[in-house]
Amino acid sequence: MGALWTGRIPFLLLVHALHSLLAANAEEAPASQPEKPFKSACRNVGVPSEFSALPSFLGFSPEVLQKCTHVVHVVDSTHLTLPYEVPMAHHAVASKMDLDNLDMQCEELIESKWKELVPLLNKCKTIRLDDCGLSRSSCADISSALTTNQALTELKLNNNELGDSGVELLCKGLMSPSCNLQKLWLRNCNLTKACCAGVCDTLRAKPSLIGLYLGDNKLGTSGVKTLCQGLQDPNCKLQYLNLDYCEFSAAAAEALSSALRTQSSLKELSLSNNKLKDAAVKRVCQALLDAGCKLESLQLENCGITAASCGALSTVLTTKPSLKELCIGENKIGDAGLAVLCEGVLNPNCRIEKLWLWECAVSSTGCKDLSDVISTKETLKEMSLLGNDFKDEGMEILCQGLKDPKSKLESLWLRECGLTAACCKSIASIFSTKSSLKDLQVGCNMLEDAGAAQLCEGLMNPNCHLQSLWLGNAELTAACCDKLAALIVTNQHLEELDLSNNSLESEGVRKLCEAVRNPNCQLKLLILYDIFWNSEVDDELKALEESKPGFKVVS
């Protein structure tokens, strides 16, 4: 996963993309397979769980759920910076006017449109053609552009049926001496192990290529082993490698380990959602200890890790100060594994900045170790604990660490942690002294109006510099909107507020509108997904957006 987003623009574009997909497939047959990959992908991006549950609620088929998942992955893997007002499907016209950046994602490119587009391929520095219905036949033109366009540095072709033969054509262009491409995205392009030899040769031949994103392709164990041969070549200078959902097993661990020992340029490695399990993870960790390995980010989410791997991960944290991000969400390490992991985090040599531990089966018992980490590790900026059912008892313990002056945590995700109004006074007390927290997500917990009111009291403290607050699906009603309105007016640092899937109704939304109109309000983004209001309030919201530049409502 990438760095923390302060603008939530990827979330907005995700809403646009999935809204179209949901509407187009509302008549699909009921789903017959679990929707866990989609929810997992949404969770990584920071999408509220009430939104991620929509495809299942509407009874989508497994195929459509897979499409939804791929849309989320695209948003997750690309840090988009489009204007708020440009919808996804219509961004092509704007992009054509910018010869440095061609962006036509989610638009079916029929033959006539493609012919118009081809000349632009030879002029742009970055090209994004995600989900455009491209196939092998398009790859010849793209390959030609790679050969002739020396300015092209980034190429994104996610969610297109390129196939192995299409990628072979791309590799021919990549091998050209005049090609200077630096980053290549081929997520969900229907690739198999058959294309890996060509990609391997490209890695050997192109030191300019520093980023390769191959997630959601069935490369398998043999395909990953072939890629690793290219990674070990002295001419390869790859820095970013994503192999999420590539269907390889523990048998690839030895090849990956050899690549890690050899490839000193590699900075970010994602192996999430592959069946590695403990023995393979331990082997990878052993390779990370090599003096030549300078890895900064390691993602091992949903890899079948248990407490048995935590000793090896802890040793890596202790030994490798270069490691800044560790993401091991959706692995059942439990309190025992967490305790071992935290020993490594607390070591003075550890310089971790981002620690994702979502759905790791952590209870209130493990919160003591987490509290120690929060209060002691001053390098730690971002932590995700969502989906751990530690309840109010655990939250009380975490608050002790958060109130410590040495804590420098800026982002804390606590959705779906079994919290109630009983812990909200303690959360509010965090802001009685100057707190470093800028992003707090406590939605999908039964906080109710009383809890929200207590939170608002704390967030109105002058010491509070919170910029983003997520309270979606928290059992709120219009009764708490007076407090929320006061918060919006009083806290001039608050820029983003998510109240999705709460029963605020017209009365509550109107109170929020009045607060946003106040000149002291600095709010830029108000997320009100799945909230119903009357036409009069709808007119108020539209007028508010028009009268207040920079303010947007997502609904």
Side-chain angles (χ1 to χ4, degrees):
M1 177 79 209
L4 172 65
W5 300 314
T6 57
R8 304 294 174 195
I9 298 175
F11 171 80
L12 287 171
L13 293 181
L14 178 63
V15 171
H16 281 302
L18 285 182
H19 183 271
S20 299
L21 195 55
L22 296 174
N25 294 279
E27 301 301 321
E28 284 279 353
S32 59
Q33 294 181 3
E35 65 279 0
K36 192 170 185 179
F38 175 72
K39 291 185 176 180
S40 173
C42 282
R43 186 177 287 113
N44 288 346
V45 183
V47 177
S49 62
E50 62 270 16
F51 189 85
S52 68
L54 264 182
S56 176
F57 176 76
L58 291 176
F60 283 5
S61 69
E63 291 75 17
V64 176
L65 281 171
Q66 186 180 32
K67 290 179 184 178
C68 292
T69 304
H70 290 146
V71 171
V72 180
H73 283 315
V74 170
V75 175
D76 184 20
S77 63
T78 55
H79 298 257
L80 307 178
T81 55
L82 304 181
Y84 284 112
E85 67 272 12
V86 181
M88 228 172 176
H90 302 290
H91 187 58
V93 176
S95 297
K96 286 181 183 177
M97 305 304 293
D98 180 3
L99 293 183
D100 285 338
N101 178 26
L102 174 62
D103 190 341
M104 295 187 70
Q105 74 263 14
C106 298
E107 179 166 323
E108 191 73 18
L109 293 175
I110 60 175
E111 186 176 355
S112 59
K113 284 187 178 180
W114 179 250
K115 287 181 178 179
E116 292 178 9
L117 183 67
V118 167
L120 294 175
L121 301 179
N122 296 309
K123 300 176 181 179
C124 296
K125 294 180 181 178
T126 65
I127 295 174
R128 181 176 184 183
L129 299 172
D130 294 341
D131 201 9
C132 285
L134 305 183
S135 62
R136 181 189 185 281
S137 60
S138 313
C139 291
D141 293 321
I142 299 172
S143 181
S144 176
L146 287 167
T147 302
T148 57
N149 185 356
Q150 297 185 38
L152 182 60
T153 57
E154 295 189 9
L155 177 60
K156 303 177 183 180
L157 301 173
N158 300 311
N159 297 343
N160 290 292
E161 293 288 323
L162 306 183
D164 296 324
S165 58
V167 170
E168 287 175 8
L169 288 173
L170 292 179
C171 287
K172 290 180 181 178
L174 288 164
M175 297 283 279
S176 169
S178 58
C179 176
N180 296 315
L181 197 73
Q182 296 177 9
K183 295 183 179 181
L184 176 63
W185 282 261
L186 295 171
R187 182 185 286 276
N188 184 34
C189 287
N190 194 26
L191 309 183
T192 71
K193 64 181 180 181
C195 75
C196 290
V199 177
C200 175
D201 290 342
T202 301
L203 290 173
R204 286 172 167 153
K206 298 302 293 187
S208 64
L209 188 64
I210 62 172
L212 183 60
Y213 306 87
L214 296 172
D216 283 288
N217 289 295
K218 297 179 180 180
L219 306 183
T221 299
S222 60
V224 170
K225 286 182 177 180
T226 301
L227 288 176
C228 287
Q229 294 174 16
L231 286 170
Q232 293 179 65
D233 192 283
N235 204 37
C236 176
K237 304 299 178 186
L238 203 69
Q239 297 179 21
Y240 313 99
L241 178 61
N242 185 295
L243 296 173
D244 290 359
Y245 289 104
C246 283
E247 299 191 8
F248 60 89
S249 67
E254 186 58 43
L256 288 165
S257 298
S258 297
L260 285 168
R261 290 190 180 96
T262 307
Q263 188 50 265
S264 60
S265 65
L266 198 61
K267 295 180 179 180
E268 295 184 10
L269 177 63
S270 178
L271 306 175
S272 296
N273 301 294
N274 292 290
K275 297 177 181 179
L276 293 179
K277 300 187 177 179
D278 290 321
V281 169
K282 289 179 182 178
R283 185 169 292 181
V284 169
C285 287
Q286 191 63 39
L288 292 172
L289 299 178
D290 192 274
C293 179
K294 307 296 182 185
L295 202 69
E296 297 177 3
S297 174
L298 177 62
Q299 298 182 35
L300 294 168
E301 296 177 322
N302 188 28
C303 285
I305 299 173
T306 71
S309 293
C310 290
L313 289 167
S314 183
T315 301
V316 172
L317 289 165
T318 300
T319 310
K320 304 298 289 189
S322 64
L323 190 65
K324 301 294 192 296
E325 298 183 2
L326 178 63
C327 303
I328 57 171
E330 206 172 3
N331 289 295
K332 307 306 180 186
I333 64 172
D335 296 329
L338 178 67
V340 176
L341 190 73
C342 288
E343 289 179 9
V345 175
L346 291 171
N347 187 285
N349 289 329
C350 176
R351 308 298 294 170
I352 199 75
E353 296 177 4
K354 174 181 175 180
L355 186 60
W356 278 27
L357 299 168
W358 55 275
E359 283 193 19
C360 283
V362 176
S363 73
S364 59
T365 301
C367 288
K368 177 63 172 67
D369 294 306
L370 290 172
S371 184
D372 290 342
V373 165
I374 291 171
S375 65
T376 306
K377 184 54 62 174
E378 296 186 37
T379 59
L380 186 63
K381 304 298 182 185
E382 181 179 344
M383 179 180 282
S384 173
L385 299 175
L386 59 87
N388 290 295
D389 193 29
F390 46 71
K391 297 184 169 58
D392 296 329
E393 179 185 357
M395 190 66 235
E396 296 280 354
I397 298 170
L398 291 180
C399 287
Q400 295 174 17
L402 289 164
K403 286 190 284 190
D404 193 296
K406 295 189 295 295
S407 174
K408 297 295 184 287
L409 198 67
E410 295 180 359
S411 178
L412 181 59
W413 294 11
L414 298 168
R415 299 197 308 275
E416 301 178 69
C417 289
L419 309 183
T420 73
C423 71
C424 289
K425 186 175 182 179
S426 294
I427 298 175
S429 69
I430 295 169
F431 302 101
S432 60
T433 57
K434 190 171 184 179
S435 171
S436 58
L437 268 183
K438 297 179 180 179
D439 176 28
L440 179 62
Q441 298 192 17
V442 288
C444 300
N445 291 293
M446 296 187 67
L447 306 183
E448 301 181 315
D449 295 329
Q454 287 183 318
L455 284 178
C456 289
E457 288 293 337
L459 295 172
M460 286 189 280
N461 190 296
N463 289 314
C464 177
H465 290 171
L466 199 73
Q467 297 176 7
S468 177
L469 176 64
W470 289 54
L471 289 171
N473 195 19
E475 302 291 326
L476 310 184
T477 72
C480 71
C481 287
D482 284 325
K483 284 289 186 181
L484 288 168
L487 169 64
I488 290 171
V489 173
T490 305
N491 188 330
Q492 297 187 24
H493 298 281
L494 191 64
E495 297 181 351
E496 302 166 359
L497 179 61
D498 172 32
L499 298 171
S500 300
N501 202 31
N502 287 298
S503 301
L504 306 185
E505 300 181 345
S506 299
E507 177 189 356
V509 175
R510 180 172 278 117
K511 291 177 181 179
L512 298 176
C513 288
E514 292 173 1
V516 173
R517 276 193 288 270
N518 189 298
N520 291 327
C521 173
Q522 301 300 313
L523 202 67
K524 295 179 180 178
L525 185 63
L526 180 60
I527 304 173
L528 300 175
Y529 182 78
D530 200 21
I531 296 176
F532 302 97
W533 52 77
N534 60 34
S535 58
E536 293 180 0
V537 172
D538 196 53
D539 291 339
E540 279 192 59
L541 287 169
K542 291 176 181 177
L544 193 56
E545 286 184 312
E546 292 176 1
S547 65
K548 195 152 188 175
F551 171 74
K552 292 294 173 184
V553 176
V554 177
S555 61

